[in-house]
Amino acid sequence: MKKGKFFLALLTCLLFSSVAVAQDVNENADNKDKKKKEKIYNEKGELIKKGWNFGPLPVVGYNSDLGFQYGACVDIFNYGDGSRYPKFDYKMNLEVSAYTKGSLNLRFYGDFYNLLPNSRLFVDAGYFTDKRFEFYGFNGFESPFYNDIYVLSQQSTVNGQKSLIENFDPDFKSVFYRMKRNQFRFNSSFRQKFGFGEHFYYGVGLSYFNYNMGRIEIQNEEYLYDEQMTLYELYRKSGLIRYNEARGGNVTQLKFAFIYDSKNHDSDPTKGMYFEATLTGTPDFIDRDGYTHFTFNAVWQHYVPIVKENLTFAYRLVTQNVVAGEIPYYAMFNSNMLFYKKMSTDAMGGSNSVRGINRNRVVGAGYAWLNAELRWKILGFQFINQNWNIALNPFFDAGMVTQAYRLTEQETAWNKIQEEYHLTPADAQNLIYSGEKEGIHTSAGCGLKLIMNKNFIISAEAAKALDKRDGEGMRVYIGFNYLF
């Protein structure tokens, strides 16, 4: 834990220093005309920002699921004449980064307010690779999780018969719950005010995803990865993952949404509400494998001021269900919100939803989760002509599968595996179906935030699952922005 605290302090210092350098560059660029701009402050004593602000930054972070993050990004803000500060008119971001456990992120997004009157346009495009994408099966607790599972072999034999399990040295690393996923994503979302009142909007969106899925491909002779069986392959062999979806596919989405948004700020809200109800239609006109489906997604966020803007209780409820058709397994990981705030759109588990539990631990045709946290600004100050706050956010998260996915098949899938590998019940435990009912997955933790101009937020959070079936140990996430 001491090592984790050291890395947390080091990463925070690096991020803070990089912001300072970037902002100094901006100030020098702004003053090339040798005319010192008059500083204007609002009633809160905050320096009002105007015009363009550029922030080229190194990307330095950490995620317990992904490893250490390194790379570079640039943030571009336009505050216009400053009359809307701390709200911005336009924001663009370009990031190239990688994680030490084998993930790569290439992403651009633009967030444009008032490009048309009373509107918001969001454009997001990215390519993401993940060599160690977690796969824990379907339907939450209905899938067993073994934290100390033995390495499973595909090639050994017992008494002349093919066998599934061989007790390799338990110090070898198991990749049983790992697979490969590469994803290309494009998303364009638009919202516009309409006649019910100041905070009401309609929204439309177009999204496209290409998924390339498969068994883990990391080659490492020491750990004999190439010889190991994985849960992904057991799902394929049992038919739980169909032949025509095993390698991934294409997903095209058309979205229609109703939105209510009264929060006072997008990145660091301290009061107001946000509600979004989105119907997503997914016509299968590219692959034509029969996976046309409709999903309904609802998001409720509420920010309750307790002590002015210094202490806020914030909570979020999210639910998503398949309302018609059949969804392929690789599309279930995605949360179909209209606007994406985080780099990843996956649900549920990990830094984007229920923090502290295994990433992708809770996967089903439908799910719901809750995030609740206190946001306490413990210090405010000005530095390098920017407005800063330091905040703490203790939190509690919970979620569960609300609509099962192929559960009847899951209950009998192990029988097919036993037949193929000539196993008796004494040979191995059921690795596909636990016999337990799905329940609520919970976690708790605390975060530390460094906030600049209410728009740029460096985040460090630590969380722990409250049930060992969701993983053990403390999970740490260092990156950007509040969760919601």
Side-chain angles (χ1 to χ4, degrees):
M1 195 65 193
K2 290 183 179 179
K3 184 182 291 186
K5 291 180 180 178
F6 169 77
F7 281 122
L8 174 61
L10 176 62
L11 290 170
T12 302
C13 290
L14 287 172
L15 286 166
F16 186 88
S17 300
S18 66
V19 172
V21 171
Q23 294 303 322
D24 282 339
V25 170
N26 292 338
E27 293 299 322
N28 291 334
D30 288 341
N31 293 320
K32 279 185 177 180
D33 57 2
K34 298 182 181 181
K35 294 181 180 180
K36 188 175 181 180
K37 298 179 180 178
E38 181 182 358
K39 296 180 180 180
I40 302 175
Y41 297 85
N42 61 17
E43 66 278 4
K44 300 174 185 176
E46 297 172 331
L47 178 65
I48 293 178
K49 308 294 294 183
K50 296 182 179 181
W52 292 95
N53 277 240
F54 295 85
L57 301 168
V59 174
V60 184
Y62 178 76
N63 186 309
S64 292
D65 299 319
L66 303 172
F68 287 93
Q69 184 184 20
Y70 56 94
C73 74
V74 58
D75 265 328
I76 304 172
F77 288 93
N78 186 300
Y79 293 99
D81 61 6
S83 61
R84 300 176 69 245
Y85 180 84
K87 294 183 178 180
F88 54 83
D89 288 348
Y90 314 128
K91 176 185 178 180
M92 289 171 282
N93 175 276
L94 176 65
E95 178 175 326
V96 180
S97 64
Y99 286 93
T100 53
K101 291 186 180 181
S103 299
L104 172 69
N105 302 322
L106 305 173
R107 186 198 186 198
F108 167 83
Y109 75 84
D111 204 355
F112 307 99
Y113 287 86
N114 296 321
L115 196 61
L116 296 176
N118 299 315
S119 70
R120 178 187 182 187
L121 174 65
F122 183 84
V123 179
D124 170 82
Y127 180 70
F128 313 96
T129 68
D130 197 335
K131 295 180 179 180
R132 297 173 181 266
F133 189 71
E134 286 95 326
F135 179 66
Y136 294 98
F138 301 156
N139 305 314
F141 288 140
E142 311 257 13
S143 292
F145 170 67
Y146 300 100
N147 194 52
D148 55 352
I149 193 167
Y150 280 111
V151 172
L152 306 181
S153 172
Q154 303 181 83
Q155 302 177 0
S156 61
T157 59
V158 176
N159 297 326
Q161 301 287 343
K162 187 191 297 184
S163 175
L164 177 65
I165 294 183
E166 177 179 330
N167 292 335
F168 289 155
D169 185 337
D171 291 334
F172 281 156
K173 294 181 180 179
S174 171
V175 294
F176 183 69
Y177 294 115
R178 298 294 184 270
M179 60 183 296
K180 175 196 77 173
R181 188 187 75 170
N182 297 334
Q183 178 197 80
F184 172 80
R185 180 182 80 212
F186 172 81
N187 177 63
S188 178
S189 302
F190 176 81
R191 79 177 193 184
Q192 176 78 48
K193 282 187 179 180
F194 70 104
F196 287 124
E198 179 183 358
H199 302 299
F200 292 89
Y201 303 82
Y202 71 87
V204 294
L206 171 65
S207 300
Y208 169 75
F209 300 81
N210 175 266
Y211 295 94
N212 180 0
M213 317 290 284
R215 89 163 252 114
I216 187 170
E217 294 180 346
I218 296 176
Q219 296 183 352
N220 187 321
E221 292 182 2
E222 180 183 358
Y223 295 123
L224 303 173
Y225 288 155
D226 290 342
E227 298 181 11
Q228 290 186 32
M229 178 62 72
T230 66
L231 184 62
Y232 163 76
E233 289 169 293
L234 292 183
Y235 268 59
R236 288 191 61 183
K237 291 176 182 296
S238 68
L240 273 173
I241 292 178
R242 313 281 194 251
Y243 174 79
N244 62 3
E245 63 179 348
R247 296 295 182 181
N250 297 282
V251 175
T252 303
Q253 298 178 333
L254 303 173
K255 300 178 180 179
F256 303 90
F258 169 81
I259 300 167
Y260 177 85
D261 186 359
S262 66
K263 62 185 188 296
N264 62 339
H265 195 267
D266 189 55
S267 299
D268 182 24
T270 56
K271 64 180 179 179
M273 294 176 285
Y274 181 86
F275 173 74
E276 176 187 318
T278 304
L279 179 65
T280 301
T282 308
D284 185 16
F285 62 83
I286 298 179
D287 298 331
R288 298 187 179 183
D289 288 327
Y291 291 118
T292 293
H293 60 278
F294 291 85
T295 61
F296 176 77
N297 181 287
V299 181
W300 171 259
Q301 299 171 191
H302 193 189
Y303 306 90
V304 183
I306 299 175
V307 182
K308 297 182 179 180
E309 293 191 354
N310 295 321
L311 183 62
T312 302
F313 174 64
Y315 68 91
R316 176 175 71 163
L317 292 166
V318 181
T319 183
Q320 181 168 301
N321 285 274
V322 177
V323 296
E326 183 178 4
I327 186 172
Y329 86 98
Y330 51 80
M332 287 195 303
F333 297 101
N334 192 61
S335 180
N336 297 327
M337 301 176 187
L338 193 64
F339 297 99
Y340 296 142
K341 188 171 182 178
K342 289 286 191 176
M343 177 80 72
S344 172
T345 62
D346 291 334
M348 180 174 27
S351 62
N352 295 318
S353 52
V354 183
R355 294 159 285 190
I357 75 171
N358 289 335
R359 187 171 63 134
N360 304 324
R361 174 65 174 119
V362 187
V363 176
Y367 52 80
W369 82 75
L370 162 73
N371 307 112
E373 57 185 50
L374 280 173
R375 298 178 178 179
W376 178 27
K377 290 185 172 69
I378 58 178
L379 180 64
F381 59 96
Q382 291 181 3
F383 177 61
I384 57 172
N385 289 327
Q386 313 298 325
N387 304 301
W388 300 85
N389 287 103
I390 296 176
L392 293 173
N393 63 306
F395 57 82
F396 172 81
D397 296 340
M400 67 178 297
V401 172
T402 57
Q403 184 181 8
Y405 186 72
R406 299 176 183 172
L407 180 57
T408 302
E409 297 177 51
Q410 183 180 358
E411 292 173 351
T412 60
W414 189 245
N415 296 334
K416 298 179 181 179
I417 299 299
Q418 287 181 311
E419 292 174 5
E420 178 172 351
Y421 286 91
H422 305 282
L423 298 175
T424 66
D427 289 323
Q429 291 179 288
N430 190 326
L431 299 175
I432 295 178
Y433 179 64
S434 67
E436 301 178 12
K437 296 298 182 183
E438 170 63 333
I440 300 177
H441 306 253
T442 57
S443 65
C446 188
L448 175 67
K449 301 290 187 286
L450 179 63
I451 306 167
M452 184 186 75
N453 297 329
K454 295 186 180 294
N455 288 311
F456 182 83
I457 302 172
I458 298 171
S459 171
E461 294 182 328
K464 187 177 185 345
L466 302 182
D467 190 314
K468 291 183 178 181
R469 293 174 294 176
D470 289 323
E472 296 182 321
M474 187 71 70
R475 303 296 177 93
V476 177
Y477 314 105
I478 300 176
F480 299 99
N481 297 320
Y482 278 107
L483 180 59
F484 62 97

